[in-house]
Amino acid sequence: MLRRDWLRRDLNTLDIMVLARNDAQSTYYLLLGFIALYAGEYTFLVAIYAVLLMTAIALSYGEMGSHFPETGGSYIYIKYSFGPTIGYISAWLLALDQLIMISYGTLDSAIYLKAILNMYYVNLGVPTVIVAAILSTLLFTVTFLGIRESARLALAIATLDLLIVLPVILLPNVLAGLKLEPPSFEWEGVKPASLLLALALASRGFTGLDSIGQLAGEARSPLVQVPRATFIIIVLMSFVSLSLTVILMNRVPYEVLSGSPELALLLIAESTPYVGGVAVALVAANIILIMLSAALTGYVAFSRLAYMLSEEKLLPRWLAVVHPRFRTPYVALIVAYILSLLFIAPGELSFIVEVYAIASLANYLLVSMSLAFLERRGRLYGGFRSPRVLGLPITAVMGVVLISIGITLSLLERYHVVWILGPWLLLGLLLHVYCKSRCTGTP
Amino acid sequence: MKREALVLDDLSDATVNIVNILVENGFSVHLITRSERADRFLAEPIYIHLLGDLSTLATILSDIDLSNVEVALLLSPNDEINLMLARMLREKGVPRVVVVVRGSEKAEIARELGADVVDLSHYITTKIQRLLSLKFTKITPISRGICMLEMLITGDSRILGATIRDLEEKYDADIVVIREERLVKDPDSALQAGDYLVAVGPITSLNELLKNA
């Protein structure tokens, strides 16, 4: 019997790039104000640290991704070097961040949407959680319909984002003249409130890059497309993020920022010469869309990870069922949708937000370590091979060093919330034990 | 559902085509190839395992979760490597192993291992016969005593001039003729030198036809 129960290979390099980039870039957009609030005159240096860390993570994923053509991302990378159990635990922890991204991406979009409509005296008259649930439903529908449809939406949002950030924000600021005196620019003498906190936040500034590995199973030529997409992401995100940081430190007085750091991008738009009013509306719309796009990538990444773990018989087999027409793992998507609604229902819970990205960092560290072990473990060939230092890939060395620093900083600052990962991990281990004997057969 | 295939490169375009076909059919493919050929496969969504000396085969097999491998295609131009790998894969429980060999002796060894055999020497012989219009016959079993006879009609054939109807009635078989790349089914068509005859029927009838041809 002819079967069509595998994922459709429909993504090109641009599709992979926008899906992963939107997710990671949205995190920096939201954290920039807080990083600046705590780093003061050292904000630019902290931003450089964030960009270096992002580069190390992206290169590790790029090099690993150039060897593995399947979906599953970090799970299959870590499994290859350290075995399925560590791979599973790592993937399970990462899945929590993906779920948080879906729920809080839609929730934050809803909050922004209502706030902007209020600015124009429009009251939706609907609770925020309901708006978030509607947005989550829309995203679920798009991801259900196909990976190509999801990529097209992400591409449209990424294009709009760059059209707003580059010509509307960056160009007028450059034309009006910026004080190019790093590292403090116009913030000389602004004492950092907490450099440790700023660095800890910066360590999590580009969370979401891992989705690039989940997309390999739907890429036409993953061994070359994944590293190419990675390089474009590094260039684009470094340029946009550092540019916005420079503009922030030139145009927005620290005192103004400290009043509402969550609105850093809007403050930049407001202070942009020539286009201030228009820019605010555009940036506000952009924030909503980029958050939605991040949530969209969360849907894609979570469902593909669940699909792969199910294929590996580590989660119940029905999670690997693929829709015969749309060729998407629709049961895993339905589970992601239901879980997103459960997370959205109580509104934003600060303790969940605080734990966000810690598990991702641990996952990224394991991916970098896996890369170091890749050649010692076997003879897999890939499309991207970084230079070697003492026989180890330089990307892996960079990754292990920088991500270890990031984890240490995050733990120093967030040690009191790490326990939240405990119940999630316990649930994962119970499922693992259950599946060892029961998750067999075909989906 | 996850389906995996293992392919041992034959160092020709055939492997590229076969890998493409497997991917199109939803297989996750593990290709074992030489480092100088690896770049050629980078555009394919497959695992590429580099083969060094023979000792690396065991390392490569330990990298692959063979419990998911449905089929292994051992296409290498080296029969010994194909047979060695076939033995290892059958021992590790790979359900279907297809081995390319050259010659009936190797083919027999492969069959004893429980592998499906593609005997290249047979295909080369057949192709040369067709190219040079040499006398050629082949009987392929289809099902339960029903077979297919393929025969090139040469100038000295005893059935030259007989019609398709004559042969069908005499030998209880369904017959078509391929003449200059056209299919001839008209029962009143007479056989000519150079015709490629295809007959389907009971083995005894086909043997009879062959004997009198």
Side-chain angles (χ1 to χ4, degrees):
Chain A
M1 190 178 73
L2 182 66
R3 299 181 305 183
R4 289 279 173 193
D5 52 2
W6 59 92
L7 302 175
R8 182 183 280 142
R9 290 197 178 273
D10 233 356
L11 296 179
N12 58 32
T13 305
L14 195 61
D15 298 329
I16 299 169
M17 188 277 287
V18 291
L19 278 164
R21 177 258 173 199
N22 287 1
D23 192 355
Q25 188 71 76
S26 71
T27 318
Y28 191 79
Y29 283 175
L30 285 189
L31 287 180
L32 173 61
F34 293 97
I35 292 170
L37 177 71
Y38 296 116
E41 62 178 333
Y42 300 118
T43 298
F44 186 66
L45 295 177
V46 175
I48 288 176
Y49 157 73
V51 164
L52 280 176
L53 180 59
M54 176 272 290
T55 304
I57 295 166
L59 285 175
S60 290
Y61 267 86
E63 188 160 356
M64 280 305 263
S66 80
H67 294 77
F68 296 87
E70 287 182 282
T71 196
S74 57
Y75 165 71
I76 46 172
Y77 307 159
I78 296 166
K79 175 194 161 195
Y80 186 78
S81 293
F82 300 118
T85 305
I86 296 181
Y88 171 79
I89 291 170
S90 164
W92 179 259
L93 288 173
L94 182 67
L96 177 64
D97 280 347
Q98 289 164 345
L99 277 177
I100 294 175
M101 193 64 247
I102 300 171
S103 318
Y104 288 22
T106 47
L107 210 45
D108 286 340
S109 296
I111 291 167
Y112 266 93
L113 182 63
K114 288 186 77 177
I116 289 162
L117 289 176
N118 275 338
M119 276 166 55
Y120 293 98
Y121 309 106
V122 178
N123 187 356
L124 275 183
V126 182
T128 304
V129 290
I130 299 294
V131 178
I134 292 168
L135 293 174
S136 191
T137 308
L138 290 174
L139 294 179
F140 163 72
T141 309
V142 173
T143 50
F144 180 87
L145 289 177
I147 189 66
R148 193 90 186 102
E149 286 68 16
S150 306
R152 278 186 195 136
L153 179 59
L155 179 61
I157 292 173
T159 308
L160 191 68
D161 177 42
L162 291 176
L163 281 175
I164 291 171
V165 170
L166 300 179
V168 179
I169 302 290
L170 186 62
L171 189 64
N173 276 295
V174 171
L175 289 177
L178 292 166
K179 183 183 174 187
L180 294 177
E181 289 178 16
S184 53
F185 302 96
E186 293 284 1
W187 284 14
E188 202 171 335
V190 176
K191 296 288 169 231
S194 169
L195 209 46
L196 175 68
L197 187 49
L199 285 165
L201 288 171
S203 300
R204 302 183 283 154
F206 293 100
T207 308
L209 277 169
D210 50 274
S211 53
I212 203 162
Q214 302 299 342
L215 300 169
E218 284 153 290
R220 289 181 199 131
S221 301
L223 305 190
V224 286
Q225 287 173 338
V226 167
R228 275 182 199 159
T230 305
F231 297 138
I232 303 172
I233 286 173
I234 291 169
V235 172
L236 264 182
M237 288 209 303
S238 303
F239 180 71
V240 168
S241 306
L242 290 177
S243 300
L244 287 175
T245 309
V246 171
I247 296 170
L248 177 76
M249 296 177 76
N250 264 274
R251 297 274 182 253
V252 183
Y254 182 79
E255 300 71 35
V256 174
L257 175 87
S258 57
S260 35
E262 72 280 9
L263 300 178
L265 240 56
L266 289 175
L267 295 173
I268 290 173
E270 202 173 41
S271 61
T272 295
Y274 317 125
V275 289
V278 181
V280 170
L282 288 173
V283 166
N286 188 37
I287 291 171
I288 294 168
L289 290 174
I290 205 89
M291 290 302 297
L292 279 179
S293 185
L296 177 90
T297 307
Y299 261 114
V300 171
F302 178 86
S303 58
R304 272 57 178 179
L305 188 58
Y307 165 86
M308 190 59 183
L309 293 177
S310 168
E311 283 283 21
E312 294 275 309
K313 303 182 178 71
L314 295 166
L315 285 181
R317 299 292 283 132
W318 39 264
L319 282 167
V321 177
V322 172
H323 194 279
R325 182 173 168 201
F326 303 119
R327 307 278 291 278
T328 48
Y330 73 103
V331 179
L333 280 166
I334 291 170
V335 170
Y337 175 57
I338 293 167
L339 290 173
S340 85
L341 296 183
L342 290 176
F343 273 74
I344 287 169
E348 206 163 88
L349 299 173
S350 61
F351 66 93
I352 290 183
V353 178
E354 286 189 21
V355 85
Y356 177 65
I358 290 177
S360 290
L361 280 172
N363 191 275
Y364 301 161
L365 179 65
L366 281 168
V367 168
S368 289
M369 290 164 68
S370 302
L371 178 56
F373 280 91
L374 184 70
E375 282 179 23
R376 287 152 199 251
R377 172 77 178 82
R379 301 183 57 82
L380 264 186
Y381 186 72
F384 165 47
R385 188 175 192 271
S386 63
R388 266 43 184 166
V389 178
L390 300 172
L392 296 170
I394 192 166
T395 46
V397 176
M398 264 177 71
V400 169
V401 172
L402 285 166
I403 300 166
S404 298
I405 294 171
I407 289 180
T408 309
L409 289 166
S410 295
L411 288 178
L412 281 174
E413 190 260 320
R414 298 282 153 129
Y415 63 91
H416 57 285
V417 292
V418 176
W419 66 268
I420 295 163
L421 294 174
W424 178 255
L425 185 60
L426 185 66
L427 178 65
L429 291 173
L430 288 174
L431 253 178
H432 187 48
V433 171
Y434 170 82
C435 271
K436 267 196 166 174
S437 56
R438 308 248 176 141
C439 301
T440 54
T442 52
Chain B
M1 200 184 77
K2 195 169 179 178
R3 313 166 74 195
E4 294 192 9
L6 187 150
V7 179
L8 182 61
D9 189 10
D10 77 334
L11 310 179
S12 82
D13 286 346
T15 302
V16 181
N17 297 334
I18 287 167
V19 160
N20 267 317
I21 292 165
L22 288 169
V23 168
E24 282 295 308
N25 281 276
F27 278 94
S28 173
V29 178
H30 292 268
L31 174 72
I32 303 175
T33 187
R34 300 274 177 195
S35 56
E36 59 271 21
R37 288 260 297 170
D39 280 342
R40 183 151 190 194
F41 294 96
L42 273 179
E44 309 298 334
I46 59 172
Y47 288 94
I48 303 171
H49 303 266
L50 296 183
L51 182 65
D53 55 37
L54 280 184
S55 66
T56 55
L57 262 181
T59 316
I60 290 169
L61 290 190
S62 71
D63 271 357
I64 303 169
D65 182 1
L66 292 173
S67 64
N68 284 327
V69 174
E70 275 186 30
V71 60
L73 307 177
L74 310 178
L75 314 175
S76 137
N78 185 328
D79 290 354
E80 300 302 331
I81 293 181
N82 289 345
L83 290 171
M84 185 177 79
L85 194 51
R87 181 171 286 110
M88 291 162 87
L89 292 170
R90 292 294 295 156
E91 280 170 6
K92 287 175 187 287
V94 173
R96 187 152 199 202
V97 176
V98 180
V99 183
V100 171
V101 290
R102 290 141 197 84
S104 53
E105 196 183 320
K106 303 271 174 55
E108 196 48 43
I109 298 171
R111 281 191 199 97
E112 281 169 12
L113 292 171
D116 292 319
V117 178
V118 177
D119 185 350
L120 274 188
S121 62
H122 172 77
Y123 286 101
I124 292 167
T125 313
T126 308
K127 187 71 184 173
I128 298 284
Q129 281 176 315
R130 284 187 197 174
L131 277 174
L132 303 181
S133 296
L134 302 174
K135 192 167 183 176
F136 158 78
T137 57
K138 177 186 170 191
I139 292 184
T140 311
I142 298 176
S143 167
R144 292 175 183 269
I146 303 297
C147 294
M148 180 173 72
L149 166 69
E150 296 167 70
M151 185 186 340
L152 188 74
I153 309 295
T154 50
D156 64 343
S157 173
R158 279 179 292 215
I159 56 173
L160 208 62
T163 63
I164 291 176
R165 189 196 308 276
D166 294 341
L167 297 176
E168 284 184 332
E169 286 175 357
K170 189 172 178 184
Y171 297 105
D172 184 26
D174 291 321
I175 294 174
V176 290
V177 165
I178 300 163
R179 181 177 297 156
E180 292 169 355
E181 297 179 2
R182 283 184 306 108
L183 200 61
V184 177
K185 291 188 283 189
D186 179 3
D188 295 321
S189 291
L191 295 183
Q192 302 172 9
D195 282 352
Y196 192 83
L197 180 144
V198 180
V200 177
I203 180 68
T204 47
S205 304
L206 298 183
N207 278 331
E208 189 72 13
L209 170 58
L210 198 56
K211 200 169 77 182
N212 296 325

